[in-house]
Amino acid sequence: MTVAMGEVTPDMAVEHGLTSDEYALILKLLNRPPNLTELGIFSVMWSEHCSYKSSRRWLKQLPTEAPWVIQGPGENAGVIDIGDGLAAIFKMESHNHPSFIEPYQGAATGVGGILRDVFTMGARPIANLNALRFGAPDHPKTRHLVAGVVAGIGGYGNCVGVPTVGGETNFHPAYNGNILVNAMTVGLAAADRIFYSAAAGPGNPVVYVGSKTGRDGIHGATMASAEFGEGSEEKRPTVQVGDPFTEKLLIEACLELMATDAIIAIQDMGAAGLTSSSVEMADKGGCGIELDLDHVPCRETGMSAYEIMLSESQERMLMVLRPGREDAARAIFEKWELDFAVIGQVTDSGHLVLRKDGAVVADIRVGPLVDQAPNYDRPWTSTPTASEADAADFPLPDAAERVLERLLASPDLASKAWIYEQYDSQVMADTAAGPGLDEGGDAAVVRIHGTSRALAMTTDCTPRYCRADPERGGAQAVAEAWRNLTAAGAKPLAITDNMNFGNPEKPAIMGQFVGAIQGMKNACQVLDFPVVSGNVSLYNETDGEAILPTPAIGGVGLIDDIGQHMTPRLKRAGETLMLIGETNGHLGCSIYLQQLFGEERHRPPPVSPASERRNGNLVRRLIIRGLVSAVHDLSDGGLYVALAEMAIAGQIGADLEVPDDLPLQAWLFGEDQARYLVSTTEPGEVEARAEAAGVPCRAVGRTGGDALTLNGANAISLDTLRAAHESFLPELMARAR
C-alpha cells in the first residue's frame, strides 16, 4: 500500500513535542520516515496527556479491584455496582492548560468532556463536581481567571441540564501561572447495560456522530503535555469551543440508540480527537480501522487529513455499529439534528489506515501507537522529611475569637457561595444536599431517581500537605474523601483521581508523584476504597515554577435510606457536642500556621487509615441509629473552625470546653486526622458505643445561644462570624477590573 508522503524533518518532530529518541523509534517502527499526518498522530498518541508515559508504571500500584467494581481504570470511566440492578459510573479529568489560556471555554469544554466520558459508558449523568485551584487573590490574573472559569462551568453545566452539586476551591501563589480545573461527573446506568470501547467485527461500520469537525483544539493534547512559558497566550487557538445545547442533544441521541442493540463499541472524541478514539478502539479490540476522511463532517473547507485527525472539536463520538443498523441509527441522530456519517470500517489488518481524496494518507500499525509508546522510569528523589511543628512556638497572636474570625475569612476557608450560586444544583430535582453548608454537607447527596437511596460524592485534596510530605498528603486526600462521604451517612465505595503535578523530568517533582501514589495506595487498601478511574496532568509549570502537587480525589458512596443522610448544620439548642477521634493538637501545615505565621514548611499531620476506618464506621453506625443530629468531619482549621461552620449553618451558637492538657491554639486549630464533631441528645449512648468500638470520644461542649464561647467566655456572635466568612469572594470579585 502506497502512502502519500510529505517532507518531515527531525526539527518538526521536536516541534510536535517528540524527543529525538522518540522520533528515532518512530522511524524504526515504520521502517520509513512518517508523513506529516502520521507524525501528528504519533505526537498526540505518545504525548504525556494520552500515553501516561511518565506515570503509568506507578499508577499500576494503585488498588483497583473490589467485589462491587464492574470496570476499573482503562475505559472512559469507572463503573461500580450499587445494587438493585444499577451501576454508578464516574470519572474526574483535568482541563488545566486550556483554562489558563481561555478560562471560559477551557472550563466549559472540561465539563463537556467529562460528561461524554460518562454517558459514553451508557450512563445518564446525574451530577457534576469540580475542584479548582487559583493563584494568590492579589495576583493580577486571578480575578479574571476565577470569573471566566466559574462562568464556563456554570454556562455549560446549566445549559446541558446536569446539576453541579459540589467541589472545592483553593487559592495559592503556586498556581499563579498554572491554574487547575478538574471536572468530575457521576452517572447512573443499568448494571447489565454498560457500553465499552473495544472495536470488533471486520467489516462492521465505523460511524461518526455529533458536531462537525473544525480547526479548534488542534494539538490540545500536545499543549497539555508541556510547560508554559513565554508565548502561552499564543496557544489560544488550541483551546476547544463548546456547545452545551449540542451536548444535550448528543446525550439524548446516544442514550436512545443505546436502548437498542445497534452499538458494538463507542468512544468519546476527547483529547487527540478522531486519532485517539479510533486508535484506542482498534487497540482494545485487537483489530484495525480504515477511515475515509472525505466522509468526516467538517464545518470548514479545505481541512487536511492532519487537521481532521488532530482536531479536538467538541460534542463528537465514534461508534462501531452492527451491520444493517446504520439507517436506524441515522434516523435517531437526524431526529436530534446531529451529524451522522459512516466514515470507515473495522478491519483485521491491525493497522490504522486513512484515506483522503482517493489516496492513502496514513498507514500505521495500531500496536506501536499504544503498546510501544514510551514508558519512562523517570529518576526521582524523595521529598526531604520536614520537621514537626511545636505548638509552643506558635502561640495565639490575638484573642482566640479574633483568630477564628480571621481564619473564616481566609481564601481557602471562606464561603464559596459566590461561585456555587452561579451553578444550577437543583436541576433534575434529585439533589438532596448540594454545595454549601447551609443546606448541604461534607459531601453532596443526590437521590437515585424514583428510589429512597442516594449517592454521596465529594472532591478532596490538601495540596500544602502534599508539598511538605507527598506520602502523607496522598493518604490524607483519600482519607478526607472517606470522611466526607461518611459524615454524610454514606458507605464509601470507590474513588477517581486527578494527579496534577509539575514537570516529571525533574527528580524532585517525580518524587512528589511517587510519594503521593504510595500514600494513596496504602490508604485505599486499608479503607477498601479502590481507584476505578482517573487522569494524570503533568507539566503544570510556568517558567520553571511548579504548582503544589495536587492529587485530587473524587469519592463516591452509597446511602441506603436518603432519610438518614446527615449534614453538619446544628439543629437544636441544648445538645451535647462530642469529638470523635484522637486529638494531639497537630499544627504542622495547618491553615492556622499558613494564615497567621506565613508558615507551610512543617510536616503535615500523620494519617492512620486504620483509625480512619474504625472511626468512620462508628460515625456511620451512629447516623444510622439516629443517635446524632449533626456531623462534620474535621480538616482545615481544626475543631474551632468546624464548630463555627456548623453553628453558622444552623444559626445556633455553642459553648466549647477548653481542656488543660493542650495549648489553646493546638486544641482549637490543630488538624489531627480521623476526627468528627457530632451533636447529640444521647451523649452517654454515643460514648458507650465509641468505647465498645475502641474509638476515642469526649464531650466538648453544648449547643445554644447566638454566639460561640470558650468555657463561657471569649464570645463572638454568629453574625460577626458569618459576615467574615462570606466576605472574601464578593470583595475579590468586586474589585475594579
Side-chain angles (χ1 to χ4, degrees):
M1 185 178 291
T2 302
V3 181
M5 302 301 292
E7 188 66 28
V8 168
T9 66
D11 287 345
M12 293 172 66
V14 172
E15 291 171 1
H16 279 71
L18 295 163
T19 68
S20 57
D21 288 342
E22 289 168 350
Y23 182 61
L25 179 58
I26 291 170
L27 296 177
K28 180 179 178 181
L29 292 171
L30 289 176
N31 199 29
R32 58 175 172 78
N35 61 31
L36 182 61
T37 299
E38 292 169 330
L39 180 68
I41 289 170
F42 269 105
S43 75
V44 293
M45 290 305 300
W46 285 12
S47 69
E48 192 74 59
H49 192 74
C50 291
S51 73
Y52 292 179
K53 57 190 175 185
S54 298
S55 60
R56 65 181 187 265
R57 66 174 55 245
W58 295 103
L59 296 174
K60 290 178 180 179
Q61 295 188 13
L62 294 172
T64 60
E65 297 180 350
W68 53 89
V69 174
I70 295 173
Q71 175 64 54
E75 272 290 343
N76 288 290
V79 186
I80 57 174
D81 190 330
I82 58 171
D84 292 348
L86 293 175
I89 300 178
F90 61 99
K91 187 182 180 183
M92 183 188 288
E93 196 159 54
S94 63
H95 231 219
N96 303 335
H97 288 62
S99 298
F100 184 80
I101 294 171
E102 174 38 65
Y104 184 95
Q105 290 296 347
T109 53
V111 174
I114 197 64
L115 282 165
R116 289 194 300 280
D117 280 340
V118 168
F119 75 74
T120 296
M121 303 288 292
R124 177 171 291 280
I126 64 166
N128 290 329
L129 301 91
N130 52 76
L132 311 177
R133 267 86 192 183
F134 297 104
D138 59 357
H139 188 272
K141 292 198 70 169
T142 295
R143 184 192 175 283
H144 161 72
L145 292 169
V146 172
V149 165
V150 171
I153 291 170
Y156 205 100
N158 296 353
C159 292
V160 83
V162 177
T164 301
V165 299
E168 55 182 338
T169 304
N170 297 149
F171 295 84
H172 194 283
Y175 303 105
N176 282 347
N178 203 125
I179 64 173
L180 301 184
V181 175
N182 295 170
M184 177 178 172
T185 293
V186 181
L188 286 173
D192 61 352
R193 294 287 292 170
I194 308 301
F195 288 80
Y196 299 96
S197 58
N204 285 343
V206 176
V207 172
Y208 171 117
V209 300
S211 291
K212 289 180 168 60
T213 294
R215 291 188 170 93
D216 54 320
I218 293 174
H219 275 301
T222 306
M223 176 189 69
S225 305
E227 291 184 35
F228 279 157
E230 285 190 30
S232 293
E233 297 294 334
E234 297 171 7
K235 296 181 180 180
R236 196 175 297 268
T238 66
V239 177
Q240 311 92 327
V241 177
D243 180 353
F245 299 104
T246 298
E247 181 102 342
K248 174 60 174 173
L249 300 178
L250 188 59
I251 291 173
E252 299 304 329
C254 287
L255 292 178
E256 183 174 341
L257 184 58
M258 286 168 170
T260 73
D261 66 347
I263 299 175
I264 291 175
I266 180 169
Q267 175 74 37
D268 162 41
M269 288 192 220
L274 187 53
T275 290
S276 63
S277 56
S278 57
V279 170
E280 289 171 8
M281 292 176 80
D283 178 68
K284 290 173 183 174
C287 56
I289 282 183
E290 286 192 11
L291 301 178
D292 188 336
L293 302 185
D294 292 326
H295 294 158
V296 173
C298 293
R299 66 170 179 259
E300 300 181 48
T301 59
M303 289 189 69
S304 67
Y306 177 96
E307 291 171 323
I308 292 170
M309 291 303 293
L310 271 62
S311 167
E312 293 185 8
S313 294
Q314 297 292 285
E315 294 89 38
R316 302 180 301 159
M317 311 285 278
L318 196 65
M319 300 180 181
V320 175
L321 300 183
R322 298 186 189 280
R325 302 294 202 278
E326 297 94 327
D327 289 344
R330 184 189 304 275
I332 290 173
F333 282 88
E334 289 182 350
K335 180 185 77 172
W336 290 100
E337 299 181 344
L338 296 167
D339 278 285
F340 178 100
V342 177
I343 64 170
Q345 63 179 349
V346 178
T347 70
D348 59 5
S349 69
H351 284 234
L352 174 69
V353 177
L354 309 177
R355 300 177 186 274
K356 194 169 192 310
D357 300 326
V360 175
V361 294
D363 184 353
I364 309 172
R365 284 191 298 123
V366 169
L369 287 170
V370 180
D371 302 334
Q372 295 186 47
N375 185 7
Y376 293 124
D377 186 5
R378 302 279 193 196
W380 60 276
T381 56
S382 296
T383 300
T385 300
S387 61
E388 299 288 352
D390 186 343
D393 294 336
F394 303 100
L396 288 166
D398 199 349
E401 65 272 21
R402 297 304 163 200
V403 171
L404 174 63
E405 181 182 3
R406 180 170 169 182
L407 291 181
L408 286 175
S410 65
D412 285 359
L413 293 181
S415 167
K416 303 306 185 295
W418 185 92
I419 293 175
Y420 63 72
E421 286 174 354
Q422 299 186 50
Y423 306 152
D424 188 339
S425 63
Q426 300 299 318
V427 65
M428 301 179 76
D430 280 317
T431 304
L437 291 172
D438 287 359
E439 298 298 331
D442 289 303
V445 177
V446 178
R447 183 192 303 271
I448 298 171
H449 192 73
T451 76
S452 61
R453 302 193 306 148
L455 290 178
M457 52 203 76
T458 183
T459 67
D460 293 288
C461 186
T462 309
R464 66 182 186 278
Y465 285 8
C466 298
R467 179 171 66 177
D469 189 320
E471 186 167 351
R472 282 190 180 182
Q476 191 272 342
V478 173
E480 188 171 351
W482 166 274
R483 284 200 305 277
N484 281 333
L485 296 172
T486 296
K491 177 178 174 54
L493 293 177
I495 67 171
T496 182
D497 60 52
N498 205 144
M499 308 293 289
N500 306 274
F501 290 79
N503 185 343
E505 297 168 45
K506 298 178 180 178
I509 299 295
M510 196 66 218
Q512 292 175 344
F513 186 92
V514 172
I517 289 286
Q518 290 170 340
M520 291 166 56
K521 172 186 174 182
N522 182 41
C524 288
Q525 286 175 332
V526 175
L527 294 171
D528 211 6
F529 205 25
V531 181
V532 297
S533 60
N535 173 248
V536 175
S537 176
L538 302 178
Y539 294 96
N540 288 290
E541 296 198 12
T542 297
D543 296 328
E545 295 295 320
I547 62 165
L548 300 183
T550 311
I553 301 297
V556 172
L558 180 66
I559 299 175
D560 284 326
D561 180 355
I562 196 170
Q564 295 179 330
H565 98 263
M566 186 54 60
T567 67
R569 179 172 58 85
L570 293 180
K571 313 300 191 299
R572 290 177 292 275
E575 294 195 348
T576 300
L577 295 167
M578 305 198 75
L579 178 59
I580 293 174
E582 186 174 4
T583 296
N584 295 306
H586 201 291
L587 285 176
C589 260
S590 64
I591 284 278
Y592 173 80
L593 290 193
Q594 181 197 58
Q595 291 297 313
L596 277 300
F597 296 89
E599 172 65 72
E600 293 184 18
R601 62 184 171 84
H602 287 292
R603 200 172 189 196
V607 178
S608 168
S611 296
E612 295 281 359
R613 181 166 185 154
R614 180 195 63 198
N615 299 1
N617 287 345
L618 168 69
V619 169
R620 199 176 310 109
R621 291 194 297 269
L622 294 175
I623 293 171
I624 292 171
R625 294 285 184 179
L627 293 172
V628 291
S629 64
V631 177
H632 196 7
D633 89 300
L634 270 60
S635 53
D636 280 351
L639 174 61
Y640 208 14
V641 166
L643 175 58
E645 291 172 341
M646 297 171 77
I648 291 170
Q651 300 184 68
I652 296 173
D655 180 51
L656 186 65
E657 297 174 4
V658 178
D660 57 10
D661 57 343
L662 281 175
L664 182 57
Q665 66 272 20
W667 170 250
L668 295 178
F669 303 114
E671 296 182 5
D672 302 286
Q673 301 294 293
R675 297 189 301 161
Y676 303 80
L677 184 61
V678 306
S679 184
T680 180
T681 58
E682 301 184 57
E685 183 66 17
V686 169
E687 191 170 15
R689 288 177 177 270
E691 184 177 359
V695 175
C697 176
R698 63 194 293 181
V700 295
R702 197 161 181 83
T703 65
D706 58 4
L708 293 188
T709 57
L710 300 177
N711 289 345
N714 300 88
I716 185 166
S717 72
L718 297 187
D719 288 343
T720 298
L721 292 175
R722 179 181 287 276
H725 187 51
E726 295 178 350
S727 63
F728 165 69
L729 268 173
E731 290 177 1
L732 171 66
M733 302 313 294
R735 292 175 187 170
R737 293 171 184 254

